[in-house]
Amino acid sequence: MENHLGNQRYCVSLVPIFNHLEVEQMNEVMQVVKSRSFKKGEILYHAGDEANALHIVNRGQVKIYRLSESGKEQMLRILMPGDFTGELALFQEGSHEAYAEATQDTQICMIRDEDFQKLLVKYPTISLKVLEEFSSRLDRSEQQTTRVATEKVETRLALFIAELAETDQDRVHLPMSKKDLASYLGTTPETLSRRLAEFEEEGLIKMKGQREIVIQDLDGLLFI
Amino acid sequence: MENHLGNQRYCVSLVPIFNHLEVEQMNEVMQVVKSRSFKKGEILYHAGDEANALHIVNRGQVKIYRLSESGKEQMLRILMPGDFTGELALFQEGSHEAYAEATQDTQICMIRDEDFQKLLVKYPTISLKVLEEFSSRLDRSEQQTTRVATEKVETRLALFIAELAETDQDRVHLPMSKKDLASYLGTTPETLSRRLAEFEEEGLIKMKGQREIVIQDLDGLLFI
DNA sequence: CGCTGTCTTGAAGCGTTTCAACACAAGTGG
DNA sequence: CCACTTGTGTTGAAACGCTTCAAGACAGCG
């Protein structure tokens, strides 16, 4: 039990929206946090579910996706430890528009809607942090719309790899399956496979297994 | 001058994020609001400009767009009176990612960054309203990404018209030029023109001038 | 009225999707 | 640990939808 609570504290203090709080305030947050585990493949929430909690990833990985009007799956983002979700629907009355699914065995810290709203009003600085997070997420979303609408797959893929390289150095790790990456980039697995093969033929990258890419010519990728 | 201040009050009280405030608090907001006018075609801010103010549209219309990596223009949204912008960059340190341009003669109410942040901390309920607004904007942006990535132009256009019809009844008014609409939908003016002509041949709609559409078969549009 | 930008229409070319077949990897149960 | 099953990834060929370029029609604005 000691260990369990230790995990929760670790979880909450990981999250950018809380990590500026004093120890005392943090303890207050801790009291409304509940822990929950999901196995790989389990769904945290469906589109249409009533939104009633903020979900913070402690261990594992979660993917957020939508279904389009015609029923196709659209990957939106991957949550790593410290990332959170569920907020979207908290502030509009209503239900989730997206699906959240654990892609590995995952541990989540949850804060109920009412508790979170109380925290926001009591500590306005939390709101500012959430606003920051929303801003950058909106920014990335609009950038993604722009890319899918105006660039071809080759370019979208090159930019995606180059951005991974900014944090991962020149051996980058794909955070998702190629199937999901195809969906994220707004294309099909077949086209993704062909474009990656092209990059390899041109000597721009080299695949090591299914999820590792060695970048051999970053400038070449960006000049596409 | 009396008239000028009257306009400003009207402007601020229009905005959903402020309209729950008491008269007294509203007066406090009024003191930090500055008015500014833009002629049709003038730019409110460029991508790369430092973000230093919240812009609220009082009269007129503003379009928000991005440039993609390859230099193409991507329409993101249209601001009508009561809508606001400029917030994105306020919460991240840094600069605007998008362009804001007046598409008609427009009057804007501005609140400087520092003043707005003070208001947010003093009246936490304003934050909740801004979070609501961000939530729904993020929701729409992710929906747009999904549509551009998974639906064909025909479907995206049909959905766009159908959604206009929800507010406008069965004679809808396009809020922007067809050139901009093409960009918004992630296609070219040529393709947009062809798809609209198709809808007209099939008896689904009827164009009246360049910006008015009479919807003749809404169900037909949605079953595409 | 004439200019400028927007809109339309046609024809050709291109990138992407689709379908199908096969290779491969991961996970399960004997 | 191997065989089996299931899902993921690859490769080819054909079809499709969209973009591009070009030319002309139309609308808006000084």
Side-chain angles (χ1 to χ4, degrees), chain A residues 66 68-70 74 77 88 91-92 97 132 134-136 139 141-142 145-147 149-151, chain B residues 66 68-70 74 76-77 88 91-92 97 132 134-136 139 141-142 145-147 149-151:
Chain A
R66 273 185 177 249
S68 71
E69 275 81 4
S70 61
Q74 173 65 37
R77 60 186 178 280
L88 244 183
F91 301 109
Q92 337 185 55
E97 304 290 341
E132 256 176 60
F134 273 32
S135 289
S136 75
D139 183 35
S141 175
E142 290 182 343
T145 305
T146 302
R147 285 188 184 172
T150 63
E151 312 287 3
Chain B
R66 275 184 174 249
S68 71
E69 275 81 5
S70 61
Q74 172 66 38
L76 293 175
R77 59 184 178 279
L88 244 184
F91 300 109
Q92 338 186 57
E97 303 291 341
E132 256 176 60
F134 273 32
S135 288
S136 76
D139 182 36
S141 175
E142 291 182 343
T145 305
T146 302
R147 285 187 185 173
T150 63
E151 311 287 3

mmCIF file of all heavy atoms in Angstrom, chain A residues 66 68-70 74 77 88 91-92 97 132 134-136 139 141-142 145-147 149-151, chain B residues 66 68-70 74 76-77 88 91-92 97 132 134-136 139 141-142 145-147 149-151:
data_model
loop_
_atom_site.group_PDB
_atom_site.id
_atom_site.type_symbol
_atom_site.label_atom_id
_atom_site.label_comp_id
_atom_site.label_asym_id
_atom_site.label_seq_id
_atom_site.Cartn_x
_atom_site.Cartn_y
_atom_site.Cartn_z
ATOM 1 N N ARG A 66 -10.039 8.778 -33.230
ATOM 2 C CA ARG A 66 -11.420 9.065 -33.582
ATOM 3 C C ARG A 66 -11.898 8.103 -34.645
ATOM 4 O O ARG A 66 -11.092 7.507 -35.343
ATOM 5 C CB ARG A 66 -11.510 10.457 -34.227
ATOM 6 C CG ARG A 66 -11.665 11.586 -33.295
ATOM 7 C CD ARG A 66 -11.870 12.841 -34.125
ATOM 8 N NE ARG A 66 -12.090 13.947 -33.254
ATOM 9 C CZ ARG A 66 -13.263 14.586 -33.126
ATOM 10 N NH1 ARG A 66 -14.287 14.244 -33.870
ATOM 11 N NH2 ARG A 66 -13.384 15.569 -32.279
ATOM 12 N N SER A 68 -14.041 8.442 -38.156
ATOM 13 C CA SER A 68 -14.595 9.438 -39.068
ATOM 14 C C SER A 68 -16.036 9.088 -39.397
ATOM 15 O O SER A 68 -16.525 8.016 -39.043
ATOM 16 C CB SER A 68 -13.776 9.483 -40.350
ATOM 17 O OG SER A 68 -14.004 8.307 -41.094
ATOM 18 N N GLU A 69 -16.708 10.001 -40.080
ATOM 19 C CA GLU A 69 -18.104 9.779 -40.474
ATOM 20 C C GLU A 69 -18.255 8.469 -41.247
ATOM 21 O O GLU A 69 -19.268 7.802 -41.133
ATOM 22 C CB GLU A 69 -18.605 10.949 -41.349
ATOM 23 C CG GLU A 69 -19.132 12.142 -40.558
ATOM 24 C CD GLU A 69 -18.029 13.060 -40.040
ATOM 25 O OE1 GLU A 69 -16.838 12.822 -40.342
ATOM 26 O OE2 GLU A 69 -18.357 14.016 -39.308
ATOM 27 N N SER A 70 -17.248 8.087 -42.009
ATOM 28 C CA SER A 70 -17.354 6.860 -42.806
ATOM 29 C C SER A 70 -16.789 5.649 -42.051
ATOM 30 O O SER A 70 -16.653 4.578 -42.618
ATOM 31 C CB SER A 70 -16.625 7.047 -44.136
ATOM 32 O OG SER A 70 -15.257 7.298 -43.912
ATOM 33 N N GLN A 74 -8.889 7.269 -37.104
ATOM 34 C CA GLN A 74 -7.892 8.328 -37.252
ATOM 35 C C GLN A 74 -7.107 8.482 -35.962
ATOM 36 O O GLN A 74 -7.655 8.913 -34.949
ATOM 37 C CB GLN A 74 -8.580 9.655 -37.614
ATOM 38 C CG GLN A 74 -7.642 10.853 -37.627
ATOM 39 C CD GLN A 74 -6.586 10.760 -38.718
ATOM 40 O OE1 GLN A 74 -6.868 10.278 -39.809
ATOM 41 N NE2 GLN A 74 -5.375 11.213 -38.428
ATOM 42 N N ARG A 77 -3.181 11.102 -31.212
ATOM 43 C CA ARG A 77 -1.931 11.263 -30.464
ATOM 44 C C ARG A 77 -1.679 10.087 -29.542
ATOM 45 O O ARG A 77 -2.559 9.295 -29.267
ATOM 46 C CB ARG A 77 -1.925 12.569 -29.668
ATOM 47 C CG ARG A 77 -3.024 12.703 -28.659
ATOM 48 C CD ARG A 77 -3.034 14.086 -28.009
ATOM 49 N NE ARG A 77 -4.127 14.188 -27.074
ATOM 50 C CZ ARG A 77 -5.383 14.431 -27.399
ATOM 51 N NH1 ARG A 77 -5.704 14.621 -28.652
ATOM 52 N NH2 ARG A 77 -6.321 14.483 -26.485
ATOM 53 N N LEU A 88 -10.965 17.286 -22.537
ATOM 54 C CA LEU A 88 -11.761 17.872 -23.610
ATOM 55 C C LEU A 88 -13.221 17.990 -23.222
ATOM 56 O O LEU A 88 -13.785 19.075 -23.197
ATOM 57 C CB LEU A 88 -11.654 17.001 -24.857
ATOM 58 C CG LEU A 88 -10.993 17.635 -26.062
ATOM 59 C CD1 LEU A 88 -11.024 16.711 -27.241
ATOM 60 C CD2 LEU A 88 -11.654 18.960 -26.383
ATOM 61 N N PHE A 91 -14.942 20.237 -20.108
ATOM 62 C CA PHE A 91 -15.258 21.662 -20.132
ATOM 63 C C PHE A 91 -16.428 22.003 -21.041
ATOM 64 O O PHE A 91 -16.991 23.084 -20.964
ATOM 65 C CB PHE A 91 -14.024 22.472 -20.518
ATOM 66 C CG PHE A 91 -12.884 22.277 -19.587
ATOM 67 C CD1 PHE A 91 -11.767 21.569 -19.974
ATOM 68 C CD2 PHE A 91 -12.947 22.769 -18.299
ATOM 69 C CE1 PHE A 91 -10.715 21.365 -19.097
ATOM 70 C CE2 PHE A 91 -11.906 22.562 -17.411
ATOM 71 C CZ PHE A 91 -10.783 21.864 -17.812
ATOM 72 N N GLN A 92 -16.724 21.100 -21.935
ATOM 73 C CA GLN A 92 -17.973 21.242 -22.641
ATOM 74 C C GLN A 92 -18.910 20.319 -21.875
ATOM 75 O O GLN A 92 -18.494 19.295 -21.379
ATOM 76 C CB GLN A 92 -17.853 20.740 -24.069
ATOM 77 C CG GLN A 92 -16.427 20.740 -24.568
ATOM 78 C CD GLN A 92 -16.304 20.355 -26.014
ATOM 79 O OE1 GLN A 92 -16.923 20.950 -26.875
ATOM 80 N NE2 GLN A 92 -15.496 19.344 -26.274
ATOM 81 N N GLU A 97 -15.444 12.682 -27.720
ATOM 82 C CA GLU A 97 -15.517 12.547 -29.174
ATOM 83 C C GLU A 97 -14.529 11.498 -29.664
ATOM 84 O O GLU A 97 -14.597 11.051 -30.790
ATOM 85 C CB GLU A 97 -15.193 13.882 -29.855
ATOM 86 C CG GLU A 97 -16.073 15.038 -29.424
ATOM 87 C CD GLU A 97 -17.488 14.891 -29.923
ATOM 88 O OE1 GLU A 97 -17.701 14.118 -30.871
ATOM 89 O OE2 GLU A 97 -18.396 15.520 -29.336
ATOM 90 N N GLU A 132 -1.938 26.379 -21.174
ATOM 91 C CA GLU A 132 -0.683 26.188 -21.920
ATOM 92 C C GLU A 132 -0.708 24.881 -22.699
ATOM 93 O O GLU A 132 -0.396 24.836 -23.887
ATOM 94 C CB GLU A 132 0.490 26.107 -20.931
ATOM 95 C CG GLU A 132 1.348 27.325 -20.843
ATOM 96 C CD GLU A 132 2.398 27.136 -19.756
ATOM 97 O OE1 GLU A 132 3.209 26.194 -19.854
ATOM 98 O OE2 GLU A 132 2.396 27.943 -18.790
ATOM 99 N N PHE A 134 -3.299 23.078 -23.567
ATOM 100 C CA PHE A 134 -4.312 23.133 -24.626
ATOM 101 C C PHE A 134 -3.790 23.921 -25.823
ATOM 102 O O PHE A 134 -4.024 23.555 -26.971
ATOM 103 C CB PHE A 134 -5.589 23.796 -24.109
ATOM 104 C CG PHE A 134 -6.537 22.842 -23.449
ATOM 105 C CD1 PHE A 134 -6.069 21.741 -22.761
ATOM 106 C CD2 PHE A 134 -7.894 23.031 -23.526
ATOM 107 C CE1 PHE A 134 -6.929 20.848 -22.149
ATOM 108 C CE2 PHE A 134 -8.778 22.152 -22.923
ATOM 109 C CZ PHE A 134 -8.297 21.068 -22.231
ATOM 110 N N SER A 135 -3.119 25.027 -25.535
ATOM 111 C CA SER A 135 -2.585 25.858 -26.607
ATOM 112 C C SER A 135 -1.669 25.058 -27.504
ATOM 113 O O SER A 135 -1.791 25.097 -28.730
ATOM 114 C CB SER A 135 -1.777 27.030 -26.030
ATOM 115 O OG SER A 135 -2.626 27.951 -25.439
ATOM 116 N N SER A 136 -0.748 24.337 -26.893
ATOM 117 C CA SER A 136 0.229 23.661 -27.732
ATOM 118 C C SER A 136 -0.425 22.469 -28.429
ATOM 119 O O SER A 136 -0.063 22.124 -29.551
ATOM 120 C CB SER A 136 1.458 23.250 -26.928
ATOM 121 O OG SER A 136 1.185 22.150 -26.122
ATOM 122 N N ASP A 139 -2.249 23.959 -31.322
ATOM 123 C CA ASP A 139 -1.247 24.341 -32.305
ATOM 124 C C ASP A 139 -0.820 23.132 -33.140
ATOM 125 O O ASP A 139 -0.805 23.181 -34.366
ATOM 126 C CB ASP A 139 -0.045 24.920 -31.558
ATOM 127 C CG ASP A 139 1.011 25.405 -32.499
ATOM 128 O OD1 ASP A 139 0.649 25.912 -33.578
ATOM 129 O OD2 ASP A 139 2.195 25.258 -32.168
ATOM 130 N N SER A 141 -2.437 20.361 -33.522
ATOM 131 C CA SER A 141 -3.570 19.843 -34.285
ATOM 132 C C SER A 141 -3.774 20.643 -35.570
ATOM 133 O O SER A 141 -4.017 20.082 -36.639
ATOM 134 C CB SER A 141 -4.832 19.880 -33.431
ATOM 135 O OG SER A 141 -5.959 19.498 -34.187
ATOM 136 N N GLU A 142 -3.654 21.959 -35.467
ATOM 137 C CA GLU A 142 -3.837 22.795 -36.662
ATOM 138 C C GLU A 142 -2.684 22.583 -37.637
ATOM 139 O O GLU A 142 -2.872 22.619 -38.851
ATOM 140 C CB GLU A 142 -3.959 24.264 -36.256
ATOM 141 C CG GLU A 142 -5.267 24.547 -35.528
ATOM 142 C CD GLU A 142 -5.452 26.008 -35.148
ATOM 143 O OE1 GLU A 142 -4.457 26.773 -35.153
ATOM 144 O OE2 GLU A 142 -6.601 26.378 -34.831
ATOM 145 N N THR A 145 -3.533 19.346 -39.437
ATOM 146 C CA THR A 145 -4.548 19.594 -40.470
ATOM 147 C C THR A 145 -3.891 20.204 -41.697
ATOM 148 O O THR A 145 -4.122 19.773 -42.831
ATOM 149 C CB THR A 145 -5.630 20.570 -39.964
ATOM 150 O OG1 THR A 145 -6.186 20.064 -38.758
ATOM 151 C CG2 THR A 145 -6.745 20.731 -40.993
ATOM 152 N N THR A 146 -3.065 21.204 -41.474
ATOM 153 C CA THR A 146 -2.405 21.897 -42.574
ATOM 154 C C THR A 146 -1.555 20.940 -43.390
ATOM 155 O O THR A 146 -1.586 20.957 -44.622
ATOM 156 C CB THR A 146 -1.522 23.038 -42.020
ATOM 157 O OG1 THR A 146 -2.348 23.923 -41.266
ATOM 158 C CG2 THR A 146 -0.846 23.800 -43.151
ATOM 159 N N ARG A 147 -0.807 20.089 -42.709
ATOM 160 C CA ARG A 147 0.069 19.166 -43.429
ATOM 161 C C ARG A 147 -0.726 18.152 -44.233
ATOM 162 O O ARG A 147 -0.401 17.878 -45.383
ATOM 163 C CB ARG A 147 0.974 18.421 -42.439
ATOM 164 C CG ARG A 147 2.069 19.298 -41.918
ATOM 165 C CD ARG A 147 3.055 18.506 -41.105
ATOM 166 N NE ARG A 147 4.052 19.397 -40.526
ATOM 167 C CZ ARG A 147 4.959 19.008 -39.637
ATOM 168 N NH1 ARG A 147 4.981 17.757 -39.228
ATOM 169 N NH2 ARG A 147 5.834 19.872 -39.175
ATOM 170 N N ALA A 149 -3.618 18.477 -45.358
ATOM 171 C CA ALA A 149 -4.368 19.150 -46.421
ATOM 172 C C ALA A 149 -3.462 19.621 -47.561
ATOM 173 O O ALA A 149 -3.916 19.721 -48.695
ATOM 174 C CB ALA A 149 -5.145 20.326 -45.856
ATOM 175 N N THR A 150 -2.198 19.879 -47.281
ATOM 176 C CA THR A 150 -1.387 20.549 -48.302
ATOM 177 C C THR A 150 -0.120 19.809 -48.736
ATOM 178 O O THR A 150 0.417 20.112 -49.793
ATOM 179 C CB THR A 150 -0.941 21.953 -47.829
ATOM 180 O OG1 THR A 150 -0.118 21.803 -46.678
ATOM 181 C CG2 THR A 150 -2.127 22.836 -47.503
ATOM 182 N N GLU A 151 0.366 18.864 -47.931
ATOM 183 C CA GLU A 151 1.614 18.190 -48.303
ATOM 184 C C GLU A 151 1.328 16.767 -48.761
ATOM 185 O O GLU A 151 0.344 16.170 -48.362
ATOM 186 C CB GLU A 151 2.575 18.134 -47.103
ATOM 187 C CG GLU A 151 2.771 19.443 -46.366
ATOM 188 C CD GLU A 151 3.621 20.435 -47.144
ATOM 189 O OE1 GLU A 151 4.022 20.122 -48.287
ATOM 190 O OE2 GLU A 151 3.859 21.530 -46.617
ATOM 191 N N ARG B 66 -2.841 29.554 -41.894
ATOM 192 C CA ARG B 66 -1.439 29.178 -41.748
ATOM 193 C C ARG B 66 -0.781 29.082 -43.092
ATOM 194 O O ARG B 66 -1.454 28.931 -44.105
ATOM 195 C CB ARG B 66 -1.327 27.783 -41.141
ATOM 196 C CG ARG B 66 -1.389 27.714 -39.674
ATOM 197 C CD ARG B 66 -1.169 26.276 -39.268
ATOM 198 N NE ARG B 66 -1.091 26.172 -37.842
ATOM 199 C CZ ARG B 66 0.015 25.878 -37.169
ATOM 200 N NH1 ARG B 66 1.124 25.591 -37.801
ATOM 201 N NH2 ARG B 66 0.013 25.830 -35.864
ATOM 202 N N SER B 68 1.760 26.369 -44.924
ATOM 203 C CA SER B 68 2.364 25.055 -44.730
ATOM 204 C C SER B 68 3.855 25.128 -45.015
ATOM 205 O O SER B 68 4.358 26.131 -45.499
ATOM 206 C CB SER B 68 1.714 24.035 -45.656
ATOM 207 O OG SER B 68 2.109 24.302 -46.989
ATOM 208 N N GLU B 69 4.576 24.035 -44.725
ATOM 209 C CA GLU B 69 6.010 23.969 -44.976
ATOM 210 C C GLU B 69 6.335 24.303 -46.436
ATOM 211 O O GLU B 69 7.362 24.910 -46.727
ATOM 212 C CB GLU B 69 6.545 22.573 -44.629
ATOM 213 C CG GLU B 69 6.908 22.387 -43.159
ATOM 214 C CD GLU B 69 5.706 22.085 -42.270
ATOM 215 O OE1 GLU B 69 4.581 21.925 -42.796
ATOM 216 O OE2 GLU B 69 5.885 22.010 -41.037
ATOM 217 N N SER B 70 5.436 23.927 -47.329
ATOM 218 C CA SER B 70 5.712 24.179 -48.753
ATOM 219 C C SER B 70 5.122 25.512 -49.214
ATOM 220 O O SER B 70 5.145 25.813 -50.411
ATOM 221 C CB SER B 70 5.147 23.037 -49.597
ATOM 222 O OG SER B 70 3.748 22.958 -49.431
ATOM 223 N N GLN B 74 -3.400 27.663 -45.734
ATOM 224 C CA GLN B 74 -4.432 26.784 -45.179
ATOM 225 C C GLN B 74 -5.379 27.576 -44.293
ATOM 226 O O GLN B 74 -4.990 28.044 -43.232
ATOM 227 C CB GLN B 74 -3.784 25.655 -44.369
ATOM 228 C CG GLN B 74 -4.771 24.780 -43.591
ATOM 229 C CD GLN B 74 -5.663 23.979 -44.498
ATOM 230 O OE1 GLN B 74 -5.228 23.504 -45.532
ATOM 231 N NE2 GLN B 74 -6.933 23.837 -44.121
ATOM 232 N N LEU B 76 -7.986 28.213 -41.527
ATOM 233 C CA LEU B 76 -8.290 27.488 -40.297
ATOM 234 C C LEU B 76 -9.666 27.820 -39.751
ATOM 235 O O LEU B 76 -10.428 26.950 -39.391
ATOM 236 C CB LEU B 76 -7.231 27.791 -39.232
ATOM 237 C CG LEU B 76 -5.839 27.260 -39.552
ATOM 238 C CD1 LEU B 76 -4.853 27.706 -38.499
ATOM 239 C CD2 LEU B 76 -5.865 25.729 -39.642
ATOM 240 N N ARG B 77 -9.998 29.109 -39.687
ATOM 241 C CA ARG B 77 -11.339 29.470 -39.225
ATOM 242 C C ARG B 77 -11.640 30.928 -39.501
ATOM 243 O O ARG B 77 -10.755 31.718 -39.787
ATOM 244 C CB ARG B 77 -11.514 29.167 -37.734
ATOM 245 C CG ARG B 77 -10.546 29.881 -36.827
ATOM 246 C CD ARG B 77 -10.717 29.443 -35.381
ATOM 247 N NE ARG B 77 -9.739 30.111 -34.547
ATOM 248 C CZ ARG B 77 -8.478 29.719 -34.413
ATOM 249 N NH1 ARG B 77 -8.052 28.648 -35.051
ATOM 250 N NH2 ARG B 77 -7.641 30.390 -33.664
ATOM 251 N N LEU B 88 -3.692 31.726 -28.385
ATOM 252 C CA LEU B 88 -2.811 30.581 -28.565
ATOM 253 C C LEU B 88 -1.414 30.864 -28.040
ATOM 254 O O LEU B 88 -0.914 30.192 -27.167
ATOM 255 C CB LEU B 88 -2.721 30.231 -30.053
ATOM 256 C CG LEU B 88 -3.254 28.882 -30.455
ATOM 257 C CD1 LEU B 88 -3.010 28.629 -31.912
ATOM 258 C CD2 LEU B 88 -2.611 27.805 -29.600
ATOM 259 N N PHE B 91 -0.243 31.744 -24.108
ATOM 260 C CA PHE B 91 0.000 30.794 -23.031
ATOM 261 C C PHE B 91 1.257 29.974 -23.248
ATOM 262 O O PHE B 91 1.740 29.327 -22.340
ATOM 263 C CB PHE B 91 -1.214 29.885 -22.853
ATOM 264 C CG PHE B 91 -2.448 30.652 -22.519
ATOM 265 C CD1 PHE B 91 -3.465 30.791 -23.433
ATOM 266 C CD2 PHE B 91 -2.562 31.277 -21.285
ATOM 267 C CE1 PHE B 91 -4.602 31.512 -23.116
ATOM 268 C CE2 PHE B 91 -3.689 32.000 -20.964
ATOM 269 C CZ PHE B 91 -4.716 32.125 -21.887
ATOM 270 N N GLN B 92 1.719 29.920 -24.471
ATOM 271 C CA GLN B 92 3.031 29.367 -24.688
ATOM 272 C C GLN B 92 3.930 30.602 -24.739
ATOM 273 O O GLN B 92 3.501 31.636 -25.202
ATOM 274 C CB GLN B 92 3.109 28.644 -26.028
ATOM 275 C CG GLN B 92 1.761 28.209 -26.539
ATOM 276 C CD GLN B 92 1.855 27.380 -27.790
ATOM 277 O OE1 GLN B 92 2.494 26.368 -27.832
ATOM 278 N NE2 GLN B 92 1.183 27.841 -28.821
ATOM 279 N N GLU B 97 1.619 31.242 -34.683
ATOM 280 C CA GLU B 97 1.888 30.280 -35.737
ATOM 281 C C GLU B 97 1.030 30.577 -36.960
ATOM 282 O O GLU B 97 1.268 30.048 -38.023
ATOM 283 C CB GLU B 97 1.569 28.861 -35.242
ATOM 284 C CG GLU B 97 2.320 28.436 -33.992
ATOM 285 C CD GLU B 97 3.790 28.247 -34.273
ATOM 286 O OE1 GLU B 97 4.159 28.087 -35.452
ATOM 287 O OE2 GLU B 97 4.582 28.293 -33.314
ATOM 288 N N GLU B 132 -13.319 26.103 -21.898
ATOM 289 C CA GLU B 132 -14.459 25.623 -22.684
ATOM 290 C C GLU B 132 -14.252 25.929 -24.166
ATOM 291 O O GLU B 132 -14.421 25.074 -25.027
ATOM 292 C CB GLU B 132 -15.738 26.333 -22.240
ATOM 293 C CG GLU B 132 -16.668 25.532 -21.383
ATOM 294 C CD GLU B 132 -17.844 26.385 -20.933
ATOM 295 O OE1 GLU B 132 -18.590 26.888 -21.790
ATOM 296 O OE2 GLU B 132 -17.987 26.567 -19.695
ATOM 297 N N PHE B 134 -11.484 26.650 -25.762
ATOM 298 C CA PHE B 134 -10.357 25.889 -26.301
ATOM 299 C C PHE B 134 -10.758 24.449 -26.579
ATOM 300 O O PHE B 134 -10.366 23.864 -27.582
ATOM 301 C CB PHE B 134 -9.188 25.900 -25.307
ATOM 302 C CG PHE B 134 -8.284 27.077 -25.470
ATOM 303 C CD1 PHE B 134 -8.770 28.304 -25.886
ATOM 304 C CD2 PHE B 134 -6.931 26.968 -25.204
ATOM 305 C CE1 PHE B 134 -7.938 29.395 -26.031
ATOM 306 C CE2 PHE B 134 -6.086 28.055 -25.356
ATOM 307 C CZ PHE B 134 -6.581 29.256 -25.762
ATOM 308 N N SER B 135 -11.519 23.879 -25.643
ATOM 309 C CA SER B 135 -11.954 22.496 -25.806
ATOM 310 C C SER B 135 -12.705 22.320 -27.104
ATOM 311 O O SER B 135 -12.435 21.406 -27.880
ATOM 312 C CB SER B 135 -12.885 22.081 -24.665
ATOM 313 O OG SER B 135 -12.165 21.942 -23.494
ATOM 314 N N SER B 136 -13.662 23.208 -27.341
ATOM 315 C CA SER B 136 -14.485 22.986 -28.521
ATOM 316 C C SER B 136 -13.697 23.307 -29.777
ATOM 317 O O SER B 136 -13.902 22.706 -30.825
ATOM 318 C CB SER B 136 -15.784 23.780 -28.440
ATOM 319 O OG SER B 136 -15.546 25.128 -28.699
ATOM 320 N N ASP B 139 -11.606 20.287 -30.390
ATOM 321 C CA ASP B 139 -12.491 19.252 -30.888
ATOM 322 C C ASP B 139 -12.733 19.434 -32.382
ATOM 323 O O ASP B 139 -12.599 18.497 -33.179
ATOM 324 C CB ASP B 139 -13.801 19.339 -30.106
ATOM 325 C CG ASP B 139 -14.764 18.271 -30.513
ATOM 326 O OD1 ASP B 139 -14.307 17.156 -30.797
ATOM 327 O OD2 ASP B 139 -15.975 18.558 -30.556
ATOM 328 N N SER B 141 -10.943 21.113 -34.491
ATOM 329 C CA SER B 141 -9.700 20.955 -35.246
ATOM 330 C C SER B 141 -9.390 19.477 -35.482
ATOM 331 O O SER B 141 -8.994 19.085 -36.584
ATOM 332 C CB SER B 141 -8.554 21.632 -34.500
ATOM 333 O OG SER B 141 -7.332 21.382 -35.154
ATOM 334 N N GLU B 142 -9.600 18.655 -34.454
ATOM 335 C CA GLU B 142 -9.315 17.228 -34.609
ATOM 336 C C GLU B 142 -10.330 16.591 -35.552
ATOM 337 O O GLU B 142 -9.991 15.683 -36.314
ATOM 338 C CB GLU B 142 -9.325 16.533 -33.240
ATOM 339 C CG GLU B 142 -8.134 16.972 -32.385
ATOM 340 C CD GLU B 142 -8.072 16.274 -31.037
ATOM 341 O OE1 GLU B 142 -9.078 15.701 -30.595
ATOM 342 O OE2 GLU B 142 -6.984 16.314 -30.412
ATOM 343 N N THR B 145 -9.072 17.504 -39.037
ATOM 344 C CA THR B 145 -7.956 16.634 -39.418
ATOM 345 C C THR B 145 -8.482 15.281 -39.865
ATOM 346 O O THR B 145 -8.094 14.758 -40.911
ATOM 347 C CB THR B 145 -7.000 16.407 -38.225
ATOM 348 O OG1 THR B 145 -6.579 17.664 -37.729
ATOM 349 C CG2 THR B 145 -5.788 15.589 -38.644
ATOM 350 N N THR B 146 -9.385 14.727 -39.071
ATOM 351 C CA THR B 146 -9.948 13.414 -39.377
ATOM 352 C C THR B 146 -10.633 13.411 -40.732
ATOM 353 O O THR B 146 -10.444 12.507 -41.539
ATOM 354 C CB THR B 146 -10.953 13.003 -38.283
ATOM 355 O OG1 THR B 146 -10.292 12.999 -37.018
ATOM 356 C CG2 THR B 146 -11.535 11.617 -38.558
ATOM 357 N N ARG B 147 -11.408 14.463 -40.991
ATOM 358 C CA ARG B 147 -12.134 14.507 -42.264
ATOM 359 C C ARG B 147 -11.188 14.641 -43.448
ATOM 360 O O ARG B 147 -11.353 13.953 -44.453
ATOM 361 C CB ARG B 147 -13.121 15.672 -42.269
ATOM 362 C CG ARG B 147 -14.327 15.393 -41.432
ATOM 363 C CD ARG B 147 -15.352 16.485 -41.592
ATOM 364 N NE ARG B 147 -16.457 16.241 -40.668
ATOM 365 C CZ ARG B 147 -17.447 17.089 -40.467
ATOM 366 N NH1 ARG B 147 -17.462 18.251 -41.108
ATOM 367 N NH2 ARG B 147 -18.418 16.794 -39.638
ATOM 368 N N ALA B 149 -8.198 13.734 -43.594
ATOM 369 C CA ALA B 149 -7.370 12.537 -43.724
ATOM 370 C C ALA B 149 -8.153 11.343 -44.241
ATOM 371 O O ALA B 149 -7.574 10.452 -44.862
ATOM 372 C CB ALA B 149 -6.735 12.196 -42.378
ATOM 373 N N THR B 150 -9.450 11.295 -44.011
ATOM 374 C CA THR B 150 -10.171 10.053 -44.301
ATOM 375 C C THR B 150 -11.335 10.170 -45.290
ATOM 376 O O THR B 150 -11.762 9.151 -45.831
ATOM 377 C CB THR B 150 -10.745 9.428 -43.008
ATOM 378 O OG1 THR B 150 -11.707 10.320 -42.447
ATOM 379 C CG2 THR B 150 -9.669 9.158 -41.987
ATOM 380 N N GLU B 151 -11.853 11.371 -45.517
ATOM 381 C CA GLU B 151 -13.005 11.500 -46.415
ATOM 382 C C GLU B 151 -12.577 12.157 -47.717
ATOM 383 O O GLU B 151 -11.612 12.904 -47.765
ATOM 384 C CB GLU B 151 -14.098 12.364 -45.761
ATOM 385 C CG GLU B 151 -14.459 11.987 -44.345
ATOM 386 C CD GLU B 151 -15.266 10.704 -44.251
ATOM 387 O OE1 GLU B 151 -15.507 10.072 -45.284
ATOM 388 O OE2 GLU B 151 -15.632 10.327 -43.125
#
